[in-house]
Amino acid sequence: MEFFKNSVGRKILMSITGQLLIIFVIVHMIGNSSIFLGADGINAYAKHLHDLPPLVWIFRLVMLTAVAIHIIYGIQVTLENNKANAKSYAVQNHLKATFASKNMIWTGLLIGAFVIYHLLHFTLHITNPEISAGLAGNFDALQRPDVFKMVVLSFQKGLIALMYAAAMVILFLHLSHGIQSFLQTMGWNNDKTRPVFSTVGKVISGILLVGYVSIPLVILTGLLKL
């Protein structure tokens, strides 16, 4: 338990949970991209997940736990650093301060708030239940929950599409610095590798940004429709 009370231990745990969440974000983007295959593509993908409810919910609980740990320790470390008159992010020492690095705590909290909304929207079907897949008779011709219809009708609403796009920009800012910070915390970053790792972080974050934002934008612009 001393590991969790130790500042270095908390930083390492933050980094590990952060990388788990990055893996999830990558896998989730790949799954979501099946919408570009049309209704059959994403509906088949969603049906496959729905056929594995215990595993899916265990995975979701693990990810939510990782999110909670990452946020709680992130707040603790930030407060400790501020109290010690240090930089505003736990692993920011020796890194050039940027907008992303100086606002990690705020982008992290905004992402956490977005995750809650996203679950209420597409998972728990509390917001916009009239178009939720599997509810209100929203099934496709094969009697699968019509996820394609749910996503398209949702992102045809400008406010929802722009909210999702804005959330992905915030995710890009958080990850562009977070990936480099992970390498710094694990001791893999130095003067020679820092520019490379900084570029890698931005490239990975940029790919995720384009992958996620492309979905609401192509729907909002009418390039992808029912």
Side-chain angles (χ1 to χ4, degrees):
M1 295 300 295
E2 187 63 28
F3 178 83
F4 300 103
K5 297 179 181 179
N6 182 278
S7 177
V8 175
R10 288 198 294 269
K11 293 175 186 178
I12 292 175
L13 193 56
M14 272 187 63
S15 295
I16 293 173
T17 54
Q19 299 317 298
L20 286 175
L21 294 172
I22 289 175
I23 292 173
F24 169 75
V25 168
I26 293 173
V27 173
H28 193 53
M29 184 196 73
I30 294 172
N32 288 353
S33 297
S34 62
I35 194 170
F36 294 114
L37 299 177
D40 187 63
I42 194 167
N43 287 351
Y45 168 71
K47 178 65 166 55
H48 179 69
L49 293 181
H50 289 163
D51 288 341
L52 303 169
L55 293 178
V56 170
W57 277 103
I58 290 173
F59 180 74
R60 285 171 176 168
L61 290 174
V62 170
M63 289 298 101
L64 287 174
T65 300
V67 169
I69 292 173
H70 194 72
I71 291 176
I72 292 171
Y73 284 155
I75 293 173
Q76 288 183 356
V77 170
T78 299
L79 293 176
E80 288 173 359
N81 284 353
N82 288 341
K83 186 176 181 180
N85 219 7
K87 299 287 185 179
S88 63
Y89 186 58
V91 292
Q92 191 177 349
N93 292 333
H94 310 302
L95 297 178
K96 183 180 178 181
T98 63
F99 177 83
S101 66
K102 292 186 291 185
N103 292 279
M104 288 295 282
I105 186 67
W106 302 114
T107 54
L109 290 173
L110 287 172
I111 292 169
F114 169 75
V115 168
I116 293 174
Y117 170 74
H118 183 58
L119 291 173
L120 294 175
H121 186 193
F122 283 143
T123 302
L124 301 177
H125 307 304
I126 292 177
T127 65
N128 303 105
E130 71 281 359
I131 60 174
S132 295
L135 301 180
N138 289 323
F139 295 90
D140 65 10
L142 298 178
Q143 292 305 302
R144 299 173 300 194
D146 201 342
V147 176
F148 181 81
K149 179 180 178 181
M150 176 181 67
V151 174
V152 170
L153 291 180
S154 293
F155 288 148
Q156 283 178 345
K157 300 178 185 295
L159 181 59
I160 294 178
L162 293 177
M163 184 189 308
Y164 270 79
M168 295 306 101
V169 172
I170 293 171
L171 179 65
F172 165 79
L173 291 172
H174 195 79
L175 293 184
S176 63
H177 179 71
I179 293 173
Q180 184 181 0
S181 294
F182 164 75
L183 298 169
Q184 174 84 5
T185 298
M186 302 307 290
W188 301 334
N189 207 359
N190 54 51
D191 291 338
K192 292 183 178 180
T193 61
R194 189 171 299 123
V196 176
F197 288 150
S198 177
T199 300
V200 169
K202 291 175 182 177
V203 169
I204 293 175
S205 303
I207 292 173
L208 290 171
L209 173 63
V210 172
Y212 274 109
V213 170
S214 62
I215 297 174
L217 290 187
V218 297
I219 293 174
L220 184 61
T221 55
L223 296 176
L224 184 64
K225 54 189 176 182
L226 296 177

Short mmCIF file of all heavy atoms in Angstrom, two decimals, residues 146-183:
data_model
loop_
_atom_site.label_atom_id
_atom_site.label_comp_id
_atom_site.label_asym_id
_atom_site.label_seq_id
_atom_site.Cartn_x
_atom_site.Cartn_y
_atom_site.Cartn_z
N ASP A 146 -30.40 -1.20 -34.32
CA ASP A 146 -29.96 -0.38 -35.45
C ASP A 146 -29.03 0.74 -34.96
O ASP A 146 -29.43 1.91 -34.84
CB ASP A 146 -31.16 0.20 -36.19
CG ASP A 146 -30.80 0.63 -37.61
OD1 ASP A 146 -29.59 0.80 -37.89
OD2 ASP A 146 -31.72 0.80 -38.44
N VAL A 147 -27.79 0.37 -34.69
CA VAL A 147 -26.80 1.34 -34.21
C VAL A 147 -26.50 2.38 -35.29
O VAL A 147 -26.31 3.56 -35.00
CB VAL A 147 -25.51 0.61 -33.79
CG1 VAL A 147 -24.43 1.62 -33.39
CG2 VAL A 147 -25.80 -0.34 -32.65
N PHE A 148 -26.48 1.95 -36.54
CA PHE A 148 -26.22 2.87 -37.65
C PHE A 148 -27.23 4.01 -37.65
O PHE A 148 -26.86 5.19 -37.73
CB PHE A 148 -26.28 2.11 -38.97
CG PHE A 148 -26.00 2.97 -40.18
CD1 PHE A 148 -24.68 3.29 -40.54
CD2 PHE A 148 -27.02 3.46 -40.97
CE1 PHE A 148 -24.40 4.08 -41.64
CE2 PHE A 148 -26.76 4.25 -42.08
CZ PHE A 148 -25.45 4.56 -42.42
N LYS A 149 -28.49 3.67 -37.53
CA LYS A 149 -29.55 4.68 -37.52
C LYS A 149 -29.41 5.60 -36.32
O LYS A 149 -29.55 6.82 -36.42
CB LYS A 149 -30.92 4.00 -37.52
CG LYS A 149 -32.10 4.98 -37.48
CD LYS A 149 -33.42 4.22 -37.48
CE LYS A 149 -34.60 5.17 -37.40
NZ LYS A 149 -35.90 4.43 -37.37
N MET A 150 -29.09 5.02 -35.15
CA MET A 150 -28.94 5.81 -33.93
C MET A 150 -27.81 6.82 -34.08
O MET A 150 -27.97 8.00 -33.73
CB MET A 150 -28.66 4.88 -32.75
CG MET A 150 -28.40 5.61 -31.43
SD MET A 150 -28.06 4.48 -30.06
CE MET A 150 -26.46 3.78 -30.58
N VAL A 151 -26.69 6.39 -34.61
CA VAL A 151 -25.53 7.27 -34.74
C VAL A 151 -25.80 8.36 -35.77
O VAL A 151 -25.52 9.54 -35.54
CB VAL A 151 -24.27 6.47 -35.11
CG1 VAL A 151 -23.10 7.41 -35.40
CG2 VAL A 151 -23.91 5.50 -33.99
N VAL A 152 -26.36 7.98 -36.90
CA VAL A 152 -26.63 8.96 -37.96
C VAL A 152 -27.62 10.01 -37.50
O VAL A 152 -27.39 11.22 -37.67
CB VAL A 152 -27.14 8.26 -39.23
CG1 VAL A 152 -27.65 9.29 -40.24
CG2 VAL A 152 -26.04 7.41 -39.86
N LEU A 153 -28.73 9.58 -36.90
CA LEU A 153 -29.73 10.55 -36.42
C LEU A 153 -29.17 11.44 -35.32
O LEU A 153 -29.53 12.62 -35.22
CB LEU A 153 -30.97 9.81 -35.92
CG LEU A 153 -31.81 9.10 -36.99
CD1 LEU A 153 -33.01 8.40 -36.34
CD2 LEU A 153 -32.28 10.09 -38.04
N SER A 154 -28.28 10.90 -34.51
CA SER A 154 -27.67 11.70 -33.45
C SER A 154 -26.77 12.78 -34.02
O SER A 154 -26.87 13.96 -33.67
CB SER A 154 -26.86 10.81 -32.50
OG SER A 154 -27.70 9.94 -31.76
N PHE A 155 -25.89 12.39 -34.94
CA PHE A 155 -24.92 13.34 -35.46
C PHE A 155 -25.47 14.24 -36.55
O PHE A 155 -24.78 15.15 -37.02
CB PHE A 155 -23.68 12.60 -35.96
CG PHE A 155 -22.84 12.03 -34.85
CD1 PHE A 155 -22.11 10.85 -35.04
CD2 PHE A 155 -22.77 12.65 -33.61
CE1 PHE A 155 -21.33 10.33 -34.01
CE2 PHE A 155 -22.01 12.14 -32.58
CZ PHE A 155 -21.29 10.98 -32.77
N GLN A 156 -26.72 13.99 -36.96
CA GLN A 156 -27.38 14.95 -37.84
C GLN A 156 -27.79 16.20 -37.06
O GLN A 156 -28.11 17.22 -37.66
CB GLN A 156 -28.59 14.31 -38.52
CG GLN A 156 -28.22 13.39 -39.67
CD GLN A 156 -29.43 12.74 -40.31
OE1 GLN A 156 -30.53 12.74 -39.74
NE2 GLN A 156 -29.23 12.17 -41.50
N LYS A 157 -27.78 16.09 -35.75
CA LYS A 157 -28.05 17.24 -34.88
C LYS A 157 -26.73 17.98 -34.70
O LYS A 157 -25.76 17.45 -34.15
CB LYS A 157 -28.61 16.78 -33.54
CG LYS A 157 -29.92 16.01 -33.64
CD LYS A 157 -30.38 15.57 -32.26
CE LYS A 157 -31.63 14.68 -32.33
NZ LYS A 157 -32.79 15.42 -32.85
N GLY A 158 -26.67 19.21 -35.16
CA GLY A 158 -25.44 19.97 -35.15
C GLY A 158 -24.79 20.09 -33.79
O GLY A 158 -23.56 19.96 -33.66
N LEU A 159 -25.59 20.34 -32.74
CA LEU A 159 -25.03 20.53 -31.41
C LEU A 159 -24.33 19.27 -30.91
O LEU A 159 -23.23 19.34 -30.35
CB LEU A 159 -26.14 20.92 -30.42
CG LEU A 159 -25.69 21.18 -28.98
CD1 LEU A 159 -24.67 22.32 -28.95
CD2 LEU A 159 -26.90 21.51 -28.10
N ILE A 160 -24.96 18.11 -31.15
CA ILE A 160 -24.36 16.85 -30.71
C ILE A 160 -23.08 16.56 -31.49
O ILE A 160 -22.05 16.18 -30.91
CB ILE A 160 -25.36 15.69 -30.86
CG1 ILE A 160 -26.55 15.87 -29.91
CG2 ILE A 160 -24.67 14.34 -30.60
CD1 ILE A 160 -27.61 14.80 -30.04
N ALA A 161 -23.11 16.75 -32.80
CA ALA A 161 -21.93 16.48 -33.63
C ALA A 161 -20.77 17.38 -33.22
O ALA A 161 -19.62 16.91 -33.08
CB ALA A 161 -22.27 16.69 -35.10
N LEU A 162 -21.04 18.66 -33.01
CA LEU A 162 -19.98 19.58 -32.64
C LEU A 162 -19.47 19.32 -31.23
O LEU A 162 -18.28 19.51 -30.95
CB LEU A 162 -20.49 21.03 -32.76
CG LEU A 162 -20.80 21.49 -34.19
CD1 LEU A 162 -21.36 22.90 -34.19
CD2 LEU A 162 -19.55 21.41 -35.07
N MET A 163 -20.35 18.84 -30.34
CA MET A 163 -19.93 18.49 -28.99
C MET A 163 -18.93 17.34 -29.02
O MET A 163 -17.90 17.36 -28.34
CB MET A 163 -21.14 18.11 -28.13
CG MET A 163 -20.80 17.82 -26.67
SD MET A 163 -22.21 17.12 -25.77
CE MET A 163 -23.49 18.31 -26.15
N TYR A 164 -19.25 16.33 -29.83
CA TYR A 164 -18.34 15.19 -29.96
C TYR A 164 -17.02 15.62 -30.59
O TYR A 164 -15.95 15.19 -30.17
CB TYR A 164 -18.99 14.08 -30.78
CG TYR A 164 -19.78 13.10 -29.94
CD1 TYR A 164 -21.06 13.40 -29.50
CD2 TYR A 164 -19.24 11.87 -29.58
CE1 TYR A 164 -21.78 12.52 -28.73
CE2 TYR A 164 -19.95 10.98 -28.81
CZ TYR A 164 -21.22 11.30 -28.38
OH TYR A 164 -21.92 10.41 -27.60
N ALA A 165 -17.08 16.46 -31.62
CA ALA A 165 -15.86 16.92 -32.28
C ALA A 165 -14.99 17.73 -31.31
O ALA A 165 -13.76 17.55 -31.26
CB ALA A 165 -16.22 17.78 -33.49
N ALA A 166 -15.62 18.59 -30.51
CA ALA A 166 -14.88 19.39 -29.53
C ALA A 166 -14.23 18.49 -28.48
O ALA A 166 -13.08 18.71 -28.07
CB ALA A 166 -15.82 20.39 -28.85
N ALA A 167 -14.94 17.43 -28.07
CA ALA A 167 -14.40 16.49 -27.09
C ALA A 167 -13.17 15.79 -27.64
O ALA A 167 -12.21 15.52 -26.91
CB ALA A 167 -15.46 15.47 -26.69
N MET A 168 -13.17 15.48 -28.93
CA MET A 168 -12.02 14.82 -29.53
C MET A 168 -10.82 15.76 -29.66
O MET A 168 -9.67 15.32 -29.57
CB MET A 168 -12.41 14.26 -30.91
CG MET A 168 -13.45 13.14 -30.86
SD MET A 168 -12.98 11.77 -29.74
CE MET A 168 -13.96 12.15 -28.27
N VAL A 169 -11.08 17.04 -29.84
CA VAL A 169 -9.98 18.02 -29.85
C VAL A 169 -9.34 18.07 -28.46
O VAL A 169 -8.11 18.11 -28.33
CB VAL A 169 -10.49 19.41 -30.26
CG1 VAL A 169 -9.39 20.46 -30.09
CG2 VAL A 169 -10.97 19.40 -31.71
N ILE A 170 -10.17 18.05 -27.43
CA ILE A 170 -9.67 18.04 -26.05
C ILE A 170 -8.87 16.76 -25.79
O ILE A 170 -7.81 16.79 -25.15
CB ILE A 170 -10.84 18.17 -25.06
CG1 ILE A 170 -11.50 19.54 -25.20
CG2 ILE A 170 -10.36 17.96 -23.62
CD1 ILE A 170 -12.79 19.68 -24.42
N LEU A 171 -9.38 15.63 -26.30
CA LEU A 171 -8.65 14.36 -26.16
C LEU A 171 -7.29 14.45 -26.84
O LEU A 171 -6.29 13.96 -26.32
CB LEU A 171 -9.47 13.22 -26.76
CG LEU A 171 -8.82 11.83 -26.71
CD1 LEU A 171 -8.66 11.36 -25.27
CD2 LEU A 171 -9.66 10.82 -27.50
N PHE A 172 -7.25 15.07 -28.02
CA PHE A 172 -5.99 15.24 -28.74
C PHE A 172 -4.98 16.02 -27.90
O PHE A 172 -3.81 15.65 -27.79
CB PHE A 172 -6.23 15.97 -30.07
CG PHE A 172 -4.98 16.51 -30.70
CD1 PHE A 172 -4.13 15.68 -31.41
CD2 PHE A 172 -4.64 17.86 -30.58
CE1 PHE A 172 -2.97 16.17 -31.98
CE2 PHE A 172 -3.49 18.36 -31.14
CZ PHE A 172 -2.64 17.52 -31.85
N LEU A 173 -5.44 17.12 -27.29
CA LEU A 173 -4.55 17.93 -26.46
C LEU A 173 -4.02 17.12 -25.28
O LEU A 173 -2.84 17.19 -24.94
CB LEU A 173 -5.29 19.17 -25.96
CG LEU A 173 -5.65 20.22 -27.02
CD1 LEU A 173 -6.54 21.30 -26.41
CD2 LEU A 173 -4.39 20.84 -27.62
N HIS A 174 -4.90 16.35 -24.66
CA HIS A 174 -4.51 15.57 -23.48
C HIS A 174 -3.50 14.49 -23.85
O HIS A 174 -2.48 14.32 -23.18
CB HIS A 174 -5.76 14.95 -22.86
CG HIS A 174 -5.53 14.44 -21.46
ND1 HIS A 174 -5.51 15.27 -20.36
CD2 HIS A 174 -5.33 13.19 -20.98
CE1 HIS A 174 -5.30 14.56 -19.26
NE2 HIS A 174 -5.18 13.29 -19.61
N LEU A 175 -3.77 13.78 -24.94
CA LEU A 175 -2.90 12.67 -25.32
C LEU A 175 -1.58 13.15 -25.92
O LEU A 175 -0.54 12.50 -25.74
CB LEU A 175 -3.60 11.76 -26.33
CG LEU A 175 -4.80 10.97 -25.82
CD1 LEU A 175 -5.32 10.05 -26.91
CD2 LEU A 175 -4.45 10.18 -24.58
N SER A 176 -1.60 14.27 -26.62
CA SER A 176 -0.38 14.75 -27.27
C SER A 176 0.71 15.01 -26.24
O SER A 176 1.90 14.82 -26.52
CB SER A 176 -0.66 16.02 -28.08
OG SER A 176 -1.08 17.07 -27.24
N HIS A 177 0.32 15.43 -25.04
CA HIS A 177 1.30 15.60 -23.97
C HIS A 177 1.38 14.35 -23.09
O HIS A 177 2.45 14.00 -22.59
CB HIS A 177 0.96 16.80 -23.10
CG HIS A 177 1.92 17.00 -21.97
ND1 HIS A 177 3.21 17.45 -22.16
CD2 HIS A 177 1.80 16.79 -20.63
CE1 HIS A 177 3.84 17.51 -21.00
NE2 HIS A 177 3.01 17.12 -20.05
N GLY A 178 0.25 13.68 -22.90
CA GLY A 178 0.21 12.53 -21.99
C GLY A 178 1.11 11.39 -22.42
O GLY A 178 1.73 10.73 -21.58
N ILE A 179 1.21 11.14 -23.72
CA ILE A 179 2.07 10.05 -24.20
C ILE A 179 3.53 10.34 -23.89
O ILE A 179 4.26 9.48 -23.41
CB ILE A 179 1.86 9.84 -25.71
CG1 ILE A 179 0.45 9.32 -25.98
CG2 ILE A 179 2.90 8.87 -26.28
CD1 ILE A 179 0.08 9.23 -27.45
N GLN A 180 3.94 11.58 -24.12
CA GLN A 180 5.32 11.95 -23.81
C GLN A 180 5.56 11.91 -22.30
O GLN A 180 6.63 11.50 -21.84
CB GLN A 180 5.63 13.34 -24.35
CG GLN A 180 7.09 13.75 -24.16
CD GLN A 180 7.38 15.14 -24.68
OE1 GLN A 180 6.49 15.82 -25.18
NE2 GLN A 180 8.61 15.58 -24.56
N SER A 181 4.56 12.31 -21.52
CA SER A 181 4.70 12.31 -20.06
C SER A 181 4.85 10.88 -19.53
O SER A 181 5.59 10.64 -18.58
CB SER A 181 3.48 12.97 -19.43
OG SER A 181 3.42 14.33 -19.77
N PHE A 182 4.14 9.95 -20.15
CA PHE A 182 4.27 8.54 -19.76
C PHE A 182 5.71 8.07 -19.94
O PHE A 182 6.29 7.43 -19.05
CB PHE A 182 3.32 7.69 -20.61
CG PHE A 182 3.63 6.21 -20.57
CD1 PHE A 182 3.32 5.45 -19.47
CD2 PHE A 182 4.25 5.59 -21.65
CE1 PHE A 182 3.62 4.09 -19.43
CE2 PHE A 182 4.54 4.24 -21.64
CZ PHE A 182 4.22 3.49 -20.51
N LEU A 183 6.30 8.40 -21.07
CA LEU A 183 7.67 8.00 -21.35
C LEU A 183 8.65 8.66 -20.38
O LEU A 183 9.63 8.06 -19.95
CB LEU A 183 8.03 8.35 -22.80
CG LEU A 183 7.18 7.64 -23.86
CD1 LEU A 183 7.41 8.25 -25.23
CD2 LEU A 183 7.48 6.16 -23.88
#
